Amino acid sequence: MAPHPPRSAQPRRIGLTGGIASGKSTVAERLTELGAVVIDADELARRVVEPGTDGLAQVIARFGPQVVGEGGGLDRARLGQIVFADDTARRDLEAIIHPRVRALAATLRCCHPGRVVVEMIPLLVETGQSGAFDEVIVVDLPEDLQRERLVRRSGLTPAAAEARIRAQASRDQRLTAATTVFDNSGDRAALIAQVDQWWRELHA
């Protein structure tokens, strides 16, 4: 792992990212167990398009009623098929979702004074947010292992898994933005050990 920066009087903004199926959720779960507050951008992205929100209204206006599922909620599987096959569609969706997620995250950050707050943002690098954080933690693994884990976890075809990986920043781009790297090429215990070590250094 990269050396941990000195602590300052003000709480640092800490971002957590990594490619799809890299192990971000495992890291987030462990940080929560250790006492951190984790703000999950994916969870916020679901909240901002819940039934009755202006976010959902904007998505429907852009993509049509075909993306509405039973009960009036968003059909994420159908929407995913559209945006992962069309770069323009994906950018249009991001333009709707991302500003709303950032606004909600900013509100939540203020609710936990004195706590370590970590923002888990899968597209942190892609959306140009790395400069907004004092520390960027990247969960990293080789792309062939990432592809294998994604197929096994999601049941996607290799081609569909590849499309999702290619829709994100490259491994090199994420590593360039990182101040701390957790290597997830091994097993879960090895990953957890790195998280625990980072936590100890944070509170040293």
Side-chain angles (χ1 to χ4, degrees):
M1 294 186 297
H4 198 80
R7 300 186 69 181
S8 63
Q10 296 297 320
R12 292 199 307 276
R13 284 197 66 187
I14 302 171
L16 169 63
T17 193
I20 188 170
S22 63
K24 296 184 299 298
S25 295
T26 299
V27 172
E29 289 168 5
R30 182 56 179 165
L31 287 172
T32 300
E33 291 171 354
L34 292 169
V37 173
V38 176
I39 298 175
D40 183 350
D42 276 350
E43 178 185 346
L44 301 190
R46 290 188 288 272
R47 289 173 57 180
V48 300
V49 291
E50 288 177 343
T53 62
D54 71 317
L56 179 59
Q58 289 294 317
V59 171
I60 295 171
R62 166 60 179 85
F63 295 98
Q66 63 179 326
V67 299
V68 180
E70 294 182 6
L74 192 62
D75 185 337
R76 298 181 181 282
R78 176 58 182 150
L79 183 60
Q81 291 173 350
I82 295 171
V83 300
F84 283 112
D86 183 337
D87 287 345
T88 299
R90 189 179 74 252
R91 287 192 292 269
D92 289 346
L93 178 64
E94 291 170 350
I96 296 169
I97 301 296
H98 291 170
R100 290 170 171 82
V101 168
R102 292 181 192 181
L104 184 52
T107 299
L108 294 175
R109 278 198 305 273
C110 300
C111 297
H112 305 283
R115 300 281 298 280
V116 175
V117 177
V118 178
E119 297 180 53
M120 182 167 66
I121 308 175
L123 301 182
L124 187 152
V125 174
E126 292 86 338
T127 53
Q129 296 184 72
S130 56
F133 290 88
D134 301 302
E135 181 162 5
V136 175
I137 301 170
V138 171
V139 187
D140 178 62
L141 74 171
E143 285 189 358
D144 57 347
L145 182 56
Q146 178 188 13
R147 192 177 303 107
E148 175 187 325
R149 290 179 178 175
L150 178 56
V151 169
R152 185 170 64 243
R153 182 188 78 180
S154 64
L156 293 170
T157 66
E162 184 69 17
R164 280 159 172 74
I165 291 172
R166 294 304 164 205
Q168 297 186 331
S170 70
R171 184 185 184 191
D172 285 345
Q173 288 171 323
R174 282 190 296 269
L175 290 175
T176 297
T179 59
T180 295
V181 177
F182 294 152
D183 175 12
N184 194 23
S185 59
D187 60 16
R188 185 179 187 279
L191 178 60
I192 293 299
Q194 294 172 73
V195 179
D196 289 355
Q197 177 64 26
W198 177 86
W199 186 261
R200 286 192 293 271
E201 291 176 2
L202 180 67
H203 292 88

